[in-house]
Amino acid sequence: MKNYTTLKDIPNISELIKEAILLKMNPFEYSKLGQHKTVVMLFFNSSLRTRLSTEKAAKNLGMDVMILNVNDAWNLEFEDGTVMNVDKSEHIKEAAQVISQYADMIAVRAFPSLQDKAKDESEYILNSFKKYATVPIVNMESATAHPLQALADAITISELTEKKTPKVVLSWAPHPKALPQAVANSFIEMMQHLDVDFCITHPEGYELNTEITQNTPINYNQEAALQDADFVYVKNWSSYNDYGKILNQDAKWMMTKEKLGKAKFMHCLPVRRNVVVEDAVLDGNQSVVIQQANNRTFAAQVVLKQLLENL
Ligand code: CP
């Protein structure tokens, strides 16, 4: 693996999941692999899990970690040929090359604006680092994708499934803030690669990018979609077609213990209790959200390991 910016960078997903599960059993087996190697983690947005799990993963491999909250640094210009006489102090061309002097790989978190669809979909922040940095780039959630989360989700399903082909449902949930589509996009792409019976349920108007959903079944009837599910992944996203808008906050779509049935409950976290999902689900024994969060370490670790092996 040369970079990890999308799931397409993974040569063999099922092999990577197996390798992550082996690393989880023996997390310090490769503790010398990353000796004298540094990952610089750049955060344009907040994080709890991604920041700590990626740092832990790097340290398990013996790497050094440097973290920069980008808002504390110079305001970056991403456009080519601009006259930088307003508020931007440093161009990405220099910044990415300079950070590459201090890093053996660069991990970036940069959310979408949810205002300008074309600009968000260009992934200009992540792709500018890919273009100008001279070291591998890791996506820690970009405008359209969260591949580290999707890998942790796949590891969790692989660990817990009792069936060869479990039924997995991605169920939209209400939320008071307009949220990105990135987690849902990557989860869908991951499920399309696994041996699962997968469908998506959301209210009309919340259709995601059809280039991502492709032939995945979409059911506007949540109750019907959830029938006999083994795993229910709950996530809010704002409208893709009416870009970045909240179309409704219909509380009927909140996940409840009754609707969950016998399925395991999944969510990437953070989650708003009693808006996205009721307490009884999160506090019950069908919730696997903590295991998912734990698996973020081993998803990051297997990715960093493969990048280190290709340096
Ligand atoms: N799930 C996830 O990416 O969590 P953070 O935003 O806290 O990193």
Side-chain angles (χ1 to χ4, degrees):
M1 207 187 291
K2 299 267 182 244
N3 292 288
Y4 189 65
T5 56
T6 83
L7 293 176
K8 293 181 186 69
D9 289 323
I10 304 176
N12 183 325
I13 287 181
S14 49
E15 286 302 314
L16 197 70
I17 293 168
K18 279 187 207 148
E19 195 180 344
I21 292 171
L22 288 175
L23 280 177
K24 187 174 178 178
M25 288 191 256
N26 194 356
F28 305 116
E29 188 178 354
Y30 298 93
S31 60
K32 296 223 175 348
L33 183 68
Q35 218 172 21
H36 308 308
K37 302 287 182 204
T38 299
V39 57
V40 167
M41 294 164 61
L42 302 176
F43 287 90
F44 289 78
N45 306 95
S46 308
S47 171
L48 187 155
R49 279 143 291 274
T50 305
R51 180 171 175 154
L52 296 178
S53 64
T54 309
E55 179 168 354
K56 185 173 160 75
K59 288 182 171 168
N60 284 352
L61 293 165
M63 298 183 81
D64 291 319
V65 179
M66 294 197 287
I67 298 177
L68 180 66
N69 293 322
V70 180
N71 292 338
D72 295 338
W74 302 108
N75 205 0
L76 287 177
E77 175 62 65
F78 287 89
E79 295 286 336
D80 231 358
T82 355
V83 178
M84 289 170 57
N85 61 358
V86 188
D87 58 335
K88 307 284 172 56
S89 306
E90 176 153 26
H91 202 279
I92 183 67
K93 285 185 188 179
E94 285 77 51
Q97 291 180 76
V98 168
I99 297 165
S100 303
Q101 308 306 304
Y102 314 140
D104 296 282
M105 53 187 82
I106 301 172
V108 181
R109 165 162 284 202
F111 289 171
S113 64
L114 294 177
Q115 308 287 322
D116 183 336
K117 188 182 198 171
K119 198 169 175 193
D120 287 346
E121 292 202 310
S122 75
E123 291 281 15
Y124 70 98
I125 297 181
L126 192 71
N127 284 332
S128 297
F129 277 102
K130 213 170 152 185
K131 184 171 176 185
Y132 297 117
T134 54
V135 297
I137 301 298
V138 178
N139 182 346
M140 295 195 296
E141 188 171 346
S142 64
T144 65
H146 197 354
L148 284 174
Q149 179 67 52
L151 182 54
D153 299 336
I155 294 166
T156 309
I157 291 173
S158 299
E159 286 177 328
L160 290 170
T161 189
E162 292 167 0
K163 293 181 182 166
K164 184 178 173 301
T165 309
K167 178 173 175 181
V168 180
V169 182
L170 172 62
S171 185
W172 180 91
H175 199 283
K177 280 181 69 181
L179 297 189
Q181 295 94 20
V183 168
N185 287 344
S186 291
F187 185 71
I188 292 165
E189 288 181 320
M190 180 57 88
M191 290 306 106
Q192 288 166 346
H193 282 94
L194 299 189
D195 186 7
V196 292
D197 169 12
F198 179 53
C199 74
I200 306 167
T201 182
H202 58 69
E204 288 190 46
Y206 280 101
E207 290 77 12
L208 290 157
N209 184 349
T210 52
E211 283 177 27
I212 292 171
T213 54
Q214 296 184 31
N215 296 324
T216 299
I218 296 166
N219 193 337
Y220 297 124
N221 181 330
Q222 189 190 36
E223 191 184 336
L226 294 173
Q227 197 80 38
D228 299 324
D230 297 297
F231 295 90
V232 175
Y233 199 107
V234 175
K235 184 73 186 84
N236 169 269
W237 58 87
S238 56
S239 174
Y240 176 74
N241 291 326
D242 195 355
Y243 191 63
K245 297 283 183 307
I246 297 174
L247 306 180
N248 75 50
Q249 292 197 46
D250 194 342
K252 282 204 313 280
W253 281 80
M254 180 178 80
M255 189 50 55
T256 64
K257 197 166 164 48
E258 191 187 343
K259 283 197 242 177
L260 188 65
K262 295 192 167 125
K264 304 262 188 253
F265 171 79
M266 300 183 74
H267 191 284
C268 61
L269 303 180
V271 69
R272 293 195 182 219
R273 282 174 172 256
N274 304 309
V275 176
V276 170
V277 53
E278 69 176 1
D279 282 340
V281 173
L282 279 172
D283 296 333
N285 59 13
Q286 287 164 248
S287 171
V288 299
V289 297
I290 305 303
Q291 184 166 337
Q292 265 177 280
N294 185 31
N295 283 334
R296 289 296 307 274
T297 298
F298 307 103
Q301 194 167 333
V302 78
V303 166
L304 296 182
K305 174 177 175 284
Q306 293 219 353
L307 293 173
L308 284 167
E309 286 166 345
N310 275 292
L311 283 179

